[in-house]
Amino acid sequence: MKPKLKDLNENITCSLCFGYLIDATTVIECLCTFCKTCIVKHLDEHNTCPKCNEVIHQSHPKEHIRYDRTLQSIVYKVVPGLQKQVDDQRAEYESTHPEVPNTPPSDKGSDGEECNGDTNGKSPPRRARSPLPPLHNTCDYIVPVQVDPHKTTVNGNSSSDSEMEDKNGTLQELSKPILGCPARCPIRVIKKFVQTKLNVQQEDLDILCNDEILGKDHTLEFIKMTRWRTKDLPLVLTYRVRPDI
């Protein structure tokens, strides 16, 4: 049984404009998603996420947002006619503003089939927005990262911290331990990802590299250059429950 479109609206709408997501853009610190023009306009005057109020970056918050191609493709597939409307409005805008560089067309995909049942007038308006120049991060690139439970050596044998510290609960392995992360991604984002997947309190979690606890503001680029310079990728990070002192 197909879900009704109104049942999906919470996951495919922008909490700033209340319309369907256009150029879905995700904050890498908290993984909240908005329309690109909405979040860029918000970050002109603020450095916090408008949905969860988490600080994105003290001085350069716009460098910590990313286009979510997968989510935008889903939006276009489940909302009939939305992609064509967006493309038509962009073409019209570019024809009346020749001084603006052409923006890439939206991701191609099916307009999608009508979801089962009508929306009873509860669907948000289907609005397209004037295109903005793409966000550029010239020194950003993707770092392959492997995230595993931390293992310690006891009497020459390797043992995971979760096995040694049952009182802190068992930390399972991630189902997909290989991640592709932006070079500027800070450790606090990796920590939040592990916390979400394993249902662990973030403040009770340590992220390590080469048995060294990493600071929450260390970026993957910094760690790669200082702790993993002579080793092959992926960059291996480990997690453990913070031991009681």
Side-chain angles (χ1 to χ4, degrees):
M1 179 179 178
K2 293 184 179 180
K4 295 183 179 180
L5 183 57
K6 64 180 180 179
D7 295 330
L8 303 175
N9 282 338
E10 181 181 357
N11 300 308
I12 60 175
T13 55
C14 172
S15 60
L16 290 174
C17 69
F18 304 106
Y20 288 116
L21 290 167
I22 303 297
D23 293 334
T25 300
T26 298
V27 180
I28 65 174
E29 302 294 321
C30 58
L31 305 181
C32 296
T33 303
F34 310 90
C35 297
K36 177 179 175 180
T37 52
C38 293
I39 187 61
V40 168
K41 183 177 180 180
H42 172 83
L43 295 179
D44 284 338
E45 299 180 358
H46 307 84
N47 65 356
T48 58
C49 172
K51 189 172 184 179
C52 67
N53 208 36
E54 181 163 339
V55 176
I56 299 174
H57 191 272
Q58 291 293 347
S59 56
H60 299 89
K62 290 182 184 178
E63 295 184 359
H64 293 259
I65 58 179
R66 297 291 181 272
Y67 177 56
D68 194 330
R69 189 179 306 275
T70 301
L71 180 56
Q72 189 60 60
S73 176
I74 292 173
V75 175
Y76 283 148
K77 282 181 171 63
V78 301
V79 183
L82 178 62
Q83 182 175 0
K84 184 178 185 303
Q85 181 181 1
V86 170
D87 289 343
D88 290 346
Q89 291 191 15
R90 280 179 171 155
E92 180 182 356
Y93 179 87
E94 290 169 0
S95 66
T96 56
H97 297 77
E99 72 282 1
V100 177
N102 288 338
T103 56
S106 56
D107 287 352
K108 295 302 178 185
S110 167
D111 280 344
E113 299 179 354
E114 184 81 44
C115 293
N116 240 1
D118 71 57
T119 60
N120 297 324
K122 296 182 180 179
S123 294
R126 302 172 190 168
R127 299 194 301 275
R129 296 153 185 82
S130 302
L132 289 177
L135 298 177
H136 295 289
N137 294 291
T138 55
C139 59
D140 212 354
Y141 55 93
I142 298 300
V143 177
V145 180
Q146 181 172 337
V147 187
D148 294 322
H150 185 65
K151 297 183 181 297
T152 56
T153 302
V154 180
N155 297 328
N157 297 320
S158 180
S159 175
S160 69
D161 282 356
S162 59
E163 293 171 348
M164 295 174 60
E165 301 185 50
D166 291 336
K167 62 181 180 180
N168 288 326
T170 300
L171 287 183
Q172 302 174 349
E173 294 185 359
L174 298 174
S175 58
K176 296 182 179 180
I178 304 296
L179 310 174
C181 304
R184 292 189 179 182
C185 176
I187 286 300
R188 63 176 175 269
V189 174
I190 304 295
K191 183 181 290 189
K192 185 167 185 176
F193 173 79
V194 175
Q195 170 220 352
T196 302
K197 291 295 183 181
L198 301 182
N199 194 25
V200 180
Q201 291 296 323
Q202 190 170 346
E203 57 270 18
D204 295 336
L205 202 65
D206 285 331
I207 303 294
L208 304 90
C209 181
N210 294 336
D211 292 330
E212 179 183 350
I213 298 176
L214 302 172
K216 66 178 182 178
D217 293 322
H218 286 174
T219 64
L220 296 179
E221 182 178 35
F222 174 79
I223 297 166
K224 178 175 174 289
M225 296 299 294
T226 59
R227 275 84 168 174
W228 210 259
R229 179 184 292 272
T230 60
K231 299 183 180 182
D232 295 332
L233 294 174
L235 170 64
V236 177
L237 302 179
T238 59
Y239 54 88
R240 71 179 186 189
V241 174
R242 184 170 300 163
D244 294 335
I245 299 177

